[in-house]
C-alpha cells in the first residue's frame, strides 16, 4: 500500500465534511457557535481542563450533526416515498442532535458564565471586557439569526413557471 493510497480515507473524510458544511445549514450554525465558544474560552484564559471539556462538547454536537446528515441521506435513498418509518428514523437522529446540543449548551454555560461575569464586573470598561461584549453580541446574533425563519431571497418572478409567464 502506497503512502498516497493510505491518505485516501482522510481525503474522503474531508470531502464528506466539506459537503456537509456546504449543504447543511444547521451544521454551519453549530460550527459558527462553536467558534464563538472557543473564542470565549481563549479570551477568558480558561484552564486547559475547561477548554478540553468545551472542545469535547463541540465535537459531540458536530459528530451527531454529521451522523444525522448521513442518516437522513441514507433514509432518503432507501425510502424516497413518504414512509412513517423513514420519518421516525429521521426524527430519532434529529433528537440525538438536539440532546447533544442542549447538553453542550449547558456545559458551555456552566464553564463560561462564571468567568465571563467576573471579567465583566471586575473591569467593565477595559478593552478585554469590550472584546468579550462584542463576542457575546456576535454569538447572540448568530443564535438569533439561526432561529429566524428562513427567507427566500429569490426574485418573486423567478418562481413563476414558464406556463405562468
Amino acid at each position: 500500500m502506497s503512502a498516497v493510497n493510505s491518505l485516501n480515507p482522510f481525503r474522503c473524510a474531508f470531502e464528506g465534511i466539506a459537503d456537509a458544511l456546504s449543504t447543511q445549514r444547521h451544521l454551519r450554525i453549530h460550527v459558527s457557535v462553536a467558534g464563538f465558544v472557543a473564542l470565549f474560552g481563549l479570551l477568558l484564559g480558561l484552564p486547559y481542563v475547561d477548554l478540553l471539556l468545551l472542545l469535547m462538547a463541540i465535537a459531540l454536537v458536530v459528530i451527531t450533526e454529521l451522523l444525522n446528515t448521513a442518516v437522513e441521506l441514507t433514509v432518503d435513498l432507501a425510502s424516497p416515498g413518504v414512509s412513517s418509518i423513514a420519518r421516525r428514523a429521521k426524527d430519532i437522529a434529529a433528537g440525538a442532535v438536539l440532546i447533544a446540543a442542549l447538553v453542550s449548551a449547558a456545559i458551555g454555560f456552566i464553564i463560561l458564565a462564571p468567568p465571563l461575569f467576573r471579567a465583566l464586573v471586575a473591569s467593565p470598561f477595559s478593552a478585554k471586557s469590550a472584546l468579550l461584549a462584542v463576542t457575546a453580541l456576535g454569538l447572540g446574533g448568530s443564535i438569533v439569526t439561526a432561529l429566524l425563519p428562513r427567507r427566500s431571497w429569490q426574485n418573486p418572478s423567478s418562481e413563476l413557471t414558464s406556463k405562468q409567464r
Side-chain angles (χ1 to χ4, degrees), residues 21-88:
L21 281 169
S22 69
T23 60
Q24 301 301 310
R25 180 174 178 246
H26 291 118
L27 181 60
R28 289 191 302 273
I29 292 166
H30 290 307
V31 169
S32 174
V33 170
F36 282 110
V37 168
L39 183 59
F40 268 124
L42 295 173
L43 290 173
L44 291 169
L46 293 179
Y48 289 123
V49 172
D50 288 350
L51 291 173
L52 180 63
L53 289 171
L54 289 174
L55 182 62
M56 290 173 63
I58 289 167
L60 176 68
V61 173
V62 171
I63 290 166
T64 55
E65 188 64 56
L66 289 169
L67 289 172
N68 179 52
T69 299
V71 166
E72 287 186 355
L73 290 171
T74 303
V75 168
D76 288 346
L77 180 65
S79 181
V82 176
S83 163
S84 64
I85 294 173
R87 181 194 50 80
R88 287 176 55 210

Side-chain angles (χ1 to χ4, degrees), residues 116-134:
L116 179 60
F117 182 75
R118 281 192 302 273
L120 293 175
V121 169
S123 54
F125 300 110
S126 69
K128 182 177 181 178
S129 290
L131 190 54
L132 289 169
V134 168

